[in-house]
Amino acid sequence: MIPLLRRRPTAGQPRRLTLSILRCNPADPASVPHLQDYELDEADGMTLFIALNDIRAHQDGSLQFDFVCRAGICGSCAMLINGRPGLACRTLTRDLGDHITLAPLPYFELIGDLSVNTGKWMRGTSERLQTWIHSTTPVDLDALEARMEPAEAEAIYELDRCIECGCCIAGCGTAQMREGFVGAVGLNKIARFRLDPRDQRSDADFYELIGDDDGVFGCMSLLGCHDLCPKQLPLQTQIAFLRRKMAALGLR
Amino acid sequence: METIHTDVLVIGGGLAGLRAGLAARKRGQQVIILSLVPPKRSHSAAAQGGMQASLGNAARGGGDNEDVHFEDTVRGSDWGNDQEVARMFVHTAPKAVRELAAWGVPWNRVQQGPHAVVMDGQRVTLTESAAAHGLITARDFGGTKKWRTCYVSDGTGHAMLYAVSDQTIAAGIPVHERMEAVALIHDGGRCYGAIVRNLIDGRLLAYVARATCIATGGFGRIYQSTTNAVINEGIGAAIALETGVVPLGNMEAVQFHPTAIFPAGILVTEGCRGDGGLLRDVDGHRFMPDYEPEKKELASRDVVSRRMEAHIRSGKGVASRYGPHLWLDITLLGAAHIEHKLREVKEICHYFLGIDPARQWIPVRPAQHYSMGGIRTDAHGQAYGLRGLFACGEAACWDLHGFNRLGGNSVAETVVAGMIVGEAIADFCASPDGDMQVSTALVRETWAKASAEFSAIADNRSSEDANQLLRRMQTLMSEQVGIVRQGDQLAAAVAELEQLIQRCRQVGLRTTRAGANPELTTAWRLQRMLKLAQCVAYGALQRTESRGAHFREDYPRRNDAEWLKRTLATWPDGEPTRPRLDYEALDVARMELPPGWRGYGARDAIEHPATALRQAEIEAIRASLGNADRHAVQQALMPYRHLLPPHLRGLNARIGEER
């Protein structure tokens, strides 16, 4: 379920917002991480995308952050919003207090200020977990496509909706302690390909990929991932299900 | 200067670039893909509603085939497109969908038996055949005779992008992320790669390649109100323009999407209307049938957008503090349909508007959406002007879309063009044409020139502010070079853009920052975006007719007699503030479908003298062939299959139509 908006009355003077942004530039050896405050007037319907671009256009052109779609679908703009991982583009300032603290996602390599290198980590994880359809059946482009039950296609899409934003990793207790942990994003991908009849890998093959403490057995079930996932993916049940399947295989 | 060598350099990590790179890699070429952002974050992911391909599996898609898709596409383009390219496209689109299915895209499938849908405001029951059960289904989209748009809920682009991106990972193709091509290495006749800026550390590198392919998407960000992602600034097209020898085609052909949420400009899919959603005005009145009695909400995008703006101007808009808007009503589709088939729309409405679209109407107004124009290429994706330079996807003017593209045809174009152009790139590399002798002096000089451009901005402390000029350009484009255009306003826009182009050369920075300073990036890009904006505005000023999305109030008729031609904009070195425009005629005598009425919109085109002749010729050919099958008739009218790579020439299977 999508959480309910916490609406505030919007009558009267616009609020004066203070954004405290954690700044650091790894390209500059002298740069020390520090919070820098920016003030601006709130506008109707203001998102953190609008607020940050306003600051960059009018106050500080050197501020680094990442947005692409600005519509909540591409996963570029995950950051710590008052300490909690979330997508900045679709976070409305009216749901936050007058003082907003923004910091880059932890765990990922810092590019600068609020920008982190999730892309590099996600590509590495994809390579490690081989997140593509494994099939030896040749594709005849001229022939009718293979049939699939409509409900099965919808079930695959449910897990295919991950946008690799990194919120689940940023909110993961295991990832903080175990650098090689594939996280909910990785486990969800395995669950997705495992569900897909076009992928010819067996559970034994998947066990090779996630049957250890960097995989499904590393998860401590704190489930910050499940609470934080901006796409409301069913991470809790998928991880539990995978663990049961993999444990059964491991005990065999 | 660090130099990286490769066979193929693909600039752009969206669907078109990834698919082209994959095709070239599978032919044994070494490929490197550059991307501004991690490729799965590309704007391709924003394609919500679906991809057109004439599979004909759904009940309302029955009888669909390449011929119907072809005619819809040509009519949609307002006869501005290249009909051979349209044929190549409609023939390959079913293959692309099927390939993607094999790669894991969870296309929605046909469920046999009766199901309720909303059509024209009424709830009706359709019955799907048992023979089609489990095959890929389709929804309705604007400007199409059949339900042809294959979809994955309303996350089609996302599912496609992830599947193709995962294939490039499987193929081991390196994607150099956060890299921006800033200049093409060329000698005026051949392209040798690009100078590339690392957007993390700000360094410039040289990528030397035998073939270079630009697939950087559109340039919507030259407009203030756009559905485009923030990375769609058209820099790929701009660096091609900078060569002075590569023309950009039909830059004035800019599409406005009818349903961007107001005022944020975020897209809600055409699938909303395809699935039965209605447009309503301030009185709650459904106004589209008043203007378009046949296609109603599902006329082509240019027509619907224009009707909406006209309706607003007639005083029927809903007033708000940001200006007037209209309503999109999908409440009649029901909560269950929205939850399963329009869930991104539901999320967008929830997060950005705080409304539930199953119960409340969505405020919408047209916003810039798609660039039909771009780097002009031939049918194989080879750019005009420079050997070894290719382009595909929205960055290119391949010219599938002419002056208006149909919904669902662009995300289809990305993969189809990627498949075709990627093969052409591999062919090029495998032939003597692909050999090259590049001068290291040329590489060094191009690098030095690019480096000097960045230094000139970084070292400038003048008060000319890039952000201010950028906002002025965006406002100007939205207000004066928008949906409804007028000669005086266009002339004023061209004049002001000339001033902005002069001023942007003086832009200075207010901040310094080690690495890639975002302020420097903005200032550098602004100089290029202004030139693109000028190509759009100047092209629009010169084109004294209305065609597709280019609507001139002072020249409201489509004028085939004088304007059945493609605009080619080049920017030679000597031209300070305007491009040079040339025109390339479209040959009526070779068209399979000569110009006529689209079936929606105005019906008052000024006829081309050759149209009647060609029409008679076509009728004679058809008559002479008698009962020949449709492929033979098509072949006699306009052969195109020789233009396709051999493995894409086979006929497409359909239920009820044996191969």
Side-chain angles (χ1 to χ4, degrees):
Chain A
M1 281 303 295
I2 299 173
L4 287 175
L5 285 179
R6 286 157 289 149
R7 302 265 218 143
R8 284 164 193 285
T10 50
Q13 286 286 92
R15 284 194 300 165
R16 188 77 178 159
L17 300 176
T18 304
L19 273 69
S20 293
I21 299 176
L22 187 60
R23 302 207 61 185
C24 180
N25 181 8
D28 178 2
S31 172
V32 178
H34 63 286
L35 281 171
Q36 188 167 344
D37 285 358
Y38 299 92
E39 290 190 11
L40 80 167
D41 284 335
E42 187 173 35
D44 208 30
M46 183 179 260
T47 59
L48 288 177
F49 165 74
I50 295 169
L52 285 168
N53 278 290
D54 191 286
I55 290 169
R56 186 150 85 183
H58 296 110
Q59 300 187 43
D60 190 339
S62 71
L63 186 62
Q64 271 188 287
F65 48 76
D66 292 325
F67 288 99
V68 177
C69 75
R70 58 82 167 91
I73 57 156
C74 79
S76 296
C77 65
M79 58 180 71
L80 293 183
I81 303 160
N82 289 337
R84 189 181 167 91
L87 299 181
C89 71
R90 69 179 197 189
T91 300
L92 293 162
T93 55
R94 71 176 179 218
D95 294 335
L96 303 170
D98 300 345
H99 192 116
I100 301 163
T101 306
L102 301 178
L105 279 193
Y107 185 83
F108 298 98
E109 183 180 290
L110 180 70
I111 290 173
D113 301 336
L114 301 174
S115 171
V116 293
N117 206 336
T118 48
K120 184 177 169 186
W121 191 88
M122 294 294 170
R123 165 98 186 202
T125 302
S126 270
E127 288 172 353
R128 208 172 122 201
L129 298 181
Q130 303 180 11
T131 62
W132 55 86
I133 295 285
H134 286 55
S135 171
T136 52
T137 311
V139 189
D140 179 351
L141 295 184
D142 300 340
L144 288 188
E145 62 274 16
R147 290 170 199 262
M148 180 182 271
E149 280 303 308
E152 190 168 42
E154 288 203 29
I156 295 166
Y157 178 60
E158 185 65 26
L159 304 185
D160 200 51
R161 294 178 72 238
C162 169
I163 56 173
E164 299 190 359
C165 62
C167 285
C168 60
I169 300 294
C172 177
T174 305
Q176 302 302 319
M177 302 189 306
R178 191 181 287 282
E179 204 181 341
F181 186 53
V182 300
V185 54
L187 296 174
N188 176 68
K189 280 183 190 289
I190 293 297
R192 180 245 176 274
F193 286 101
R194 194 178 167 279
L195 189 62
D196 197 322
R198 296 165 290 198
D199 196 316
Q200 294 166 347
R201 283 178 287 186
S202 65
D203 272 351
D205 296 324
F206 291 123
Y207 187 86
E208 291 300 316
L209 297 169
I210 58 161
D212 61 11
D213 285 354
D214 279 341
V216 77
F217 301 128
C219 169
M220 301 184 292
S221 300
L222 298 178
L223 295 172
C225 54
H226 187 92
D227 296 341
L228 292 166
C229 176
K231 290 287 152 184
Q232 285 88 39
L233 294 177
L235 300 174
Q236 179 176 2
T237 47
Q238 290 304 318
I239 293 172
F241 183 69
L242 266 187
R243 184 160 42 211
R244 207 177 71 193
K245 289 287 174 192
M246 293 296 124
L249 200 74
L251 291 171
R252 214 178 276 163
Chain B
M1 179 183 73
E2 186 182 335
T3 306
I4 294 164
H5 294 268
T6 182
D7 290 324
V8 180
L9 178 67
V10 177
I11 303 169
L15 272 171
L18 293 174
R19 187 62 190 82
L22 205 48
R25 180 74 199 105
K26 292 197 171 180
R27 290 273 303 277
Q29 303 300 327
Q30 189 195 347
V31 176
I32 294 176
I33 297 173
L34 304 178
S35 185
L36 290 176
V37 296
K40 285 174 178 164
R41 313 221 187 283
S42 303
H43 189 52
S44 304
Q48 295 171 357
M51 153 168 182
Q52 283 206 45
S54 58
L55 302 181
N57 294 326
R60 297 286 296 188
D64 198 9
N65 59 37
E66 296 85 356
D67 298 349
V68 189
H69 190 184
F70 169 77
E71 295 209 357
D72 284 347
T73 302
V74 174
R75 288 175 201 281
S77 81
D78 220 354
W79 278 273
N81 69 350
D82 181 318
Q83 296 195 4
E84 286 174 346
V85 165
R87 267 292 173 189
M88 293 165 72
F89 164 76
V90 298
H91 177 79
T92 310
K95 301 180 199 305
V97 170
R98 287 166 173 163
E99 180 179 74
L100 290 165
W103 288 350
V105 172
W107 297 110
N108 281 63
R109 301 288 172 144
V110 175
Q111 173 73 53
Q112 62 179 311
H115 62 112
V117 298
V118 175
M119 286 168 65
D120 198 14
Q122 305 295 317
R123 197 157 269 275
V124 295
T125 299
L126 297 179
T127 303
E128 304 292 341
S129 77
H133 182 77
L135 296 176
I136 294 167
T137 192
R139 60 168 34 132
D140 201 7
F141 249 43
T144 62
K145 285 205 174 68
K146 301 283 182 183
W147 289 23
R148 184 187 301 127
T149 306
C150 308
Y151 62 98
V152 182
S153 183
D154 59 351
T156 313
H158 167 89
M160 291 170 66
L161 181 62
Y162 272 56
V164 175
S165 185
D166 284 338
Q167 286 296 316
T168 62
I169 296 170
I173 300 174
V175 180
H176 294 189
E177 296 175 4
R178 296 174 186 270
M179 290 285 187
E180 177 165 33
V182 297
L184 292 174
I185 304 168
H186 72 98
D187 56 12
R190 197 201 194 284
C191 181
Y192 303 102
I195 303 299
V196 173
R197 181 165 180 252
N198 181 326
L199 294 175
I200 295 177
D201 63 19
R203 283 189 313 141
L204 293 181
L205 303 93
Y207 282 71
V208 174
R210 298 201 289 139
T212 305
C213 179
I214 297 179
T216 49
F219 50 83
R221 286 278 152 181
I222 66 171
Y223 283 86
Q224 177 193 27
S225 177
T226 175
T227 64
N228 280 194
V230 300
I231 53 172
N232 299 132
E233 298 179 306
I235 300 304
I239 60 171
L241 185 67
E242 287 291 320
T243 63
V245 291
V246 176
L248 305 183
N250 285 344
M251 291 294 279
E252 64 270 32
V254 176
Q255 179 170 83
F256 293 80
H257 194 290
T259 58
I261 64 170
F262 187 80
I266 294 168
L267 176 73
V268 289
T269 173
E270 185 156 317
C272 290
R273 282 171 293 134
D275 291 1
L278 307 175
L279 291 168
R280 298 187 186 277
D281 65 14
V282 65
D283 306 319
H285 172 63
R286 181 189 175 197
F287 58 91
M288 276 308 294
D290 304 344
Y291 297 107
E292 295 294 332
E294 283 178 49
K295 294 296 284 183
K296 306 182 177 89
E297 280 85 357
L298 288 172
S300 62
R301 288 175 178 176
D302 58 324
V303 171
V304 177
S305 292
R306 214 146 47 228
R307 301 299 195 193
M308 289 170 75
E309 287 298 313
H311 202 63
I312 287 173
R313 284 203 290 178
S314 76
K316 292 295 184 182
V318 183
S320 84
R321 57 184 289 190
Y322 299 107
H325 63 81
L326 295 160
W327 299 113
L328 172 64
D329 172 11
I330 60 170
T331 59
L332 65 169
L333 307 186
H337 182 91
I338 292 169
E339 181 61 46
H340 287 277
K341 301 289 163 61
L342 296 168
R343 53 192 299 173
E344 298 297 336
V345 170
K346 182 184 169 172
E347 279 193 17
I348 286 166
C349 288
H350 173 85
Y351 285 105
F352 294 94
L353 297 167
I355 65 165
D356 175 2
R359 292 186 295 116
Q360 288 155 289
W361 295 349
I362 307 166
V364 293
R365 189 168 182 180
Q368 192 284 344
H369 181 62
Y370 188 80
S371 316
M372 273 77 73
I375 298 166
R376 178 70 186 130
T377 72
D378 67 13
H380 306 289
Q382 161 72 53
Y384 285 21
L386 278 185
R387 280 177 296 113
L389 179 65
F390 295 79
C392 61
E394 192 176 350
C397 179
W398 187 28
D399 201 1
L400 170 62
H401 309 298
F403 276 74
N404 175 68
R405 93 164 156 83
L406 296 182
N409 261 0
S410 74
V411 78
E413 182 196 12
T414 62
V415 283
V416 168
M419 291 165 85
I420 294 170
V421 176
E423 293 293 332
I425 291 170
D427 288 344
F428 173 83
C429 286
S431 76
D433 292 341
D435 295 334
M436 74 174 182
Q437 288 183 304
V438 60
S439 142
T440 57
L442 176 69
V443 177
R444 179 176 46 75
E445 283 160 14
T446 313
W447 184 92
K449 183 166 176 278
S451 182
E453 286 170 359
F454 282 97
S455 301
I457 301 170
D459 298 341
N460 190 337
R461 286 282 166 267
S462 95
S463 61
E464 198 71 85
D465 175 6
N467 276 295
Q468 202 186 336
L469 299 187
L470 180 69
R471 279 195 301 280
R472 181 57 204 153
M473 170 188 72
Q474 290 168 333
T475 308
L476 182 71
M477 293 302 288
S478 280
E479 287 176 356
Q480 289 171 242
V481 199
I483 299 172
V484 177
R485 298 169 176 181
Q486 211 270 338
D488 293 350
Q489 287 187 4
L490 290 171
V494 168
E496 189 172 346
L497 285 168
E498 292 195 301
Q499 289 172 13
L500 293 176
I501 287 168
Q502 301 275 13
R503 284 173 64 188
C504 80
R505 296 184 180 131
Q506 309 306 320
V507 158
L509 299 192
R510 289 171 296 173
T511 60
T512 53
R513 182 186 172 99
N517 185 349
E519 192 183 11
L520 174 58
T521 306
T522 301
W524 180 88
R525 288 179 185 164
L526 169 74
Q527 296 177 340
R528 275 117 201 112
M529 291 167 77
L530 274 165
K531 286 188 174 177
L532 295 179
Q534 186 66 300
C535 289
V536 176
Y538 192 50
L541 173 65
Q542 296 302 318
R543 184 173 284 272
T544 49
E545 66 153 354
S546 292
R547 184 180 298 274
H550 170 70
F551 180 74
R552 285 284 299 260
E553 216 168 21
D554 43 354
Y555 295 93
R557 299 170 70 186
R558 190 181 87 206
N559 185 346
D560 292 335
E562 292 177 77
W563 283 103
L564 199 58
K565 52 192 181 184
R566 192 174 289 121
T567 310
L568 298 179
T570 44
W571 204 297
D573 261 352
E575 297 286 340
T577 56
R578 277 185 201 194
R580 189 184 78 208
L581 299 186
D582 298 293
Y583 293 93
E584 178 183 38
L586 275 67
D587 188 358
V588 177
R590 288 176 56 221
M591 286 183 182
E592 183 179 338
L593 185 65
W597 183 50
R598 303 168 85 188
Y600 43 80
R603 192 173 194 168
D604 57 359
I606 299 165
E607 199 173 295
H608 191 281
T611 299
L613 269 172
R614 177 61 180 160
Q615 196 64 58
E617 200 171 64
I618 288 170
E619 276 156 30
I621 293 170
R622 284 188 186 280
S624 74
L625 289 173
N627 291 328
D629 83 340
R630 65 182 181 89
H631 302 292
V633 174
Q634 194 287 321
Q635 171 76 12
L637 294 176
M638 190 187 71
Y640 72 94
R641 219 166 289 170
H642 63 285
L643 296 168
L644 287 168
H647 74 284
L648 297 179
R649 290 179 191 170
L651 298 183
N652 297 307
R654 284 184 189 79
I655 43 173
E657 189 180 48
E658 299 310 321
R659 269 194 287 161

